[in-house]
Amino acid sequence: MRTRLADSAAADSAKGWAAAHARCLLESLGRLSRRWIASALTILVIGIALALPSGLFVVVKNMDRLAGQWHQSVQISVYLDNDLAPEAGQQLADDLRDDKRVDKTQFVSAEQGLDEFKKASGFGAALDALGNNPLPGVIQVTPRANLAPAAVGELVAALGQRDTVAKASLDQAWLRRLTAILDLLSRASWVIGLLLSAAVVFIVGNTIRLDIENRRQEIEVMKLLGASDAFIRRPFLYSGLWYGLLGAFVALLVLGVCRLALGGSLATLVSSYDGALAIQGLGASGVLWLILAGLGLGWVGCVITVNRELAAIEPR
């Protein structure tokens, strides 16, 4: 009997706790709606602050995918000795394919290279007059797509040191520049994200501070009546969560508008890759992280301000 009474009391206590929090959640939303102009401006600023690093993150993610496709088009030209037999060149190409750093190889004999050059240049008669074929055999080596630029450089150096290889070449300048730009954008997204996160915390904290000042007399009366700081703090904390959540939704809206505004240019870029490139947005996980970030920043900004302001208010 006592166990049943204890269970019933615990259930009633849990229901009362949930009802109190639900009522406080709705009341805080009602306060925001009654001051809808000031609340909308605050939410808009928070949304823009969250949208900027999120948009930069999307740009970096798509450039990483584009860079991956460019990595797949990187080819190392391995020029063989002129006196090397075609069979030996094909055997070397097969051996290089076993290297873990190599994705695929293609051997082009001296005769095949001369025929392709004749067709491309139109100097077939002049080349026939030379008598001997001046072109060497070539192996086109494609590194793995996930191979770092430094590792690609080491592969080029290793290929050039082989006995039957005259020279191995690859223009790596553009690859190094691309990697440096992506690294800079990635770091910039983190730096901007941290700075704007601090701005969101400051905006929410300042808004809650003004709200507390407007309700200062009410808070003093509540403390005189014996209300705890946790009870007084609760509606302000929910207000911070509402600011963060609605700011995250505004950020998603801003990102959607930006994508629509850039739709024509994006379509032109995608068509230039024959459909092989697909522009990606935040994705489901990115949307979830953005919402969680908005809620977390709103809550942190509110907690910091509320604890400090309530400690400074004492009933007279």
Side-chain angles (χ1 to χ4, degrees), residues 3 18 21 41 45 50 65 72 74 77 79 82 113-114 182 184 216 225 229 235 244 286-287 305 312 316:
T3 304
H21 277 269
L41 291 176
V45 173
L50 293 175
R65 295 181 63 250
Q72 294 175 0
V74 172
S77 298
Y79 300 98
N82 289 330
L114 183 61
L182 289 177
L184 177 62
R216 188 181 187 90
L225 295 176
D229 285 347
V287 171
T305 302
R316 299 174 184 175

Side-chain angles (χ1 to χ4, degrees), residues 37-118:
I37 296 179
S39 300
L41 291 176
T42 302
I43 292 170
L44 180 62
V45 173
I46 294 173
I48 294 174
L50 293 175
L52 288 175
S54 302
L56 190 55
F57 168 77
V58 172
V59 172
V60 172
K61 183 172 72 170
N62 283 280
M63 288 193 68
D64 276 334
R65 295 181 63 250
L66 183 58
Q69 295 192 3
W70 285 341
H71 273 288
Q72 294 175 0
S73 65
V74 172
Q75 284 189 337
I76 302 172
S77 298
V78 180
Y79 300 98
L80 307 177
D81 293 336
N82 289 330
D83 56 351
L84 189 67
E87 294 79 9
Q90 183 62 55
Q91 182 61 43
L92 178 59
D94 296 337
D95 295 340
L96 292 178
R97 199 175 297 120
D98 296 332
D99 194 317
K100 295 181 179 180
R101 298 169 294 180
V102 175
D103 184 24
K104 60 183 179 179
T105 61
Q106 181 182 5
F107 172 67
V108 180
S109 65
E111 290 74 17
Q112 292 174 337
L114 183 61
D115 292 339
E116 293 177 1
F117 186 70
K118 286 180 180 180

